[in-house]
């Protein structure tokens, strides 16, 4: 009976260690909050398109509601959100690169997958920032963002 309890205690300690280690690693990853903010920004941009599209006279109420929802400068707000998200992903990627020196094969594979996912997110945010700048008649800045994508 003592052997069973001892074995149970050892297995419990090992499983708790792996759970807390995984929890500690997840604290360093970009949080869900930033993803939700990006979804909100996308909704604001979609609503802003309603303001710019030609509507019939009966749809003026819809246009007024859309204007009240997105505010006066939805593209500037979206640009700030995308820039902050892009900076956060780039910072996280730099931290991953610094910490990959002493890692075994399985976590290293997970880190490579995370870097590939982050690179896709960086590219997507850069394209969206270029589009927002093009809409705001800042073609030089937009072309700089798009040039970054083509160089990758």
């Amino acid at each position: 009976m003592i052997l069973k309890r001892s074995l149970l205690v050892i297995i419990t300690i090992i499983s708790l260690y792996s759970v807390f280690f995984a929890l500690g690693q997840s604290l360093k990853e970009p949080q869900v909050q930033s993803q939700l903010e990006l979804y909100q920004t996308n909704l604001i941009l979609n609503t802003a398109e309603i303001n710019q599209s030609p509507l019939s006279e009966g749809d003026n109420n819809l246009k007024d509601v859309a204007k009240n929802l997105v505010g006066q400068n939805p593209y500037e707000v979206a640009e700030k959100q995308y820039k902050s998200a892009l900076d956060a992903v780039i910072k996280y990627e730099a931290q991953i690169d610094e910490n990959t020196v002493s890692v075994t094969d399985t976590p290293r594979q997970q880190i490579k997958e995370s870097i590939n996912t982050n690179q896709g997110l960086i590219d997507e945010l850069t394209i969206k920032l270029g589009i927002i700048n093009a809409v705001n008649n800042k073609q030089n800045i937009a072309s700089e963002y798009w040039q970054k994508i083509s160089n990758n």
Side-chain angles (χ1 to χ4, degrees):
M1 196 64 152
I2 294 175
L3 181 63
K4 288 181 181 179
R5 284 186 183 175
S6 301
L7 186 61
L8 183 61
V9 167
I10 292 172
I11 291 174
T12 303
I13 291 173
I14 291 172
S15 64
L16 285 176
Y17 174 76
S18 65
V19 167
F20 284 120
F21 180 75
L23 181 61
Q25 292 298 321
S26 71
L27 290 176
K28 296 178 184 178
E29 294 180 8
Q31 300 297 315
V32 174
Q33 179 69 28
S34 59
Q35 284 289 63
L36 291 175
E37 289 173 358
L38 289 178
Y39 291 143
Q40 178 184 9
T41 303
N42 290 338
L43 286 173
I44 289 173
L45 290 175
N46 287 334
T47 307
E49 287 180 22
I50 293 174
N51 281 339
Q52 295 178 351
S53 65
L55 298 173
S56 64
E57 289 185 25
D59 292 334
N60 283 336
N61 290 337
L62 179 62
K63 204 170 196 177
D64 291 339
V65 169
K67 186 175 183 180
N68 288 332
L69 285 174
V70 299
Q72 294 296 325
N73 299 318
Y75 293 107
E76 290 178 16
V77 172
E79 184 178 3
K80 288 178 186 175
Q81 287 288 340
Y82 284 138
K83 279 185 181 179
S84 67
L86 182 64
D87 292 341
V89 172
I90 290 172
K91 182 180 176 183
Y92 174 68
E93 192 172 68
Q95 288 176 347
I96 288 177
D97 288 340
E98 291 175 3
N99 296 332
T100 57
V101 175
S102 62
V103 179
T104 61
D105 287 339
T106 303
R108 185 172 290 154
Q109 182 65 27
Q110 292 174 347
I111 290 171
K112 286 180 184 178
E113 291 172 4
S114 176
I115 288 173
N116 290 339
T117 303
N118 286 341
Q119 188 59 46
L121 182 59
I122 289 171
D123 292 345
E124 179 182 343
L125 292 172
T126 305
I127 289 171
K128 288 181 178 183
L129 279 168
I131 291 171
I132 289 172
N133 282 299
V135 168
N136 288 333
N137 293 323
K138 299 177 186 175
Q139 276 74 20
N140 292 337
I141 298 172
S143 64
E144 287 176 14
Y145 280 116
W146 294 329
Q147 193 66 31
K148 288 179 187 177
I149 296 294
S150 65
N151 289 340
N152 290 340

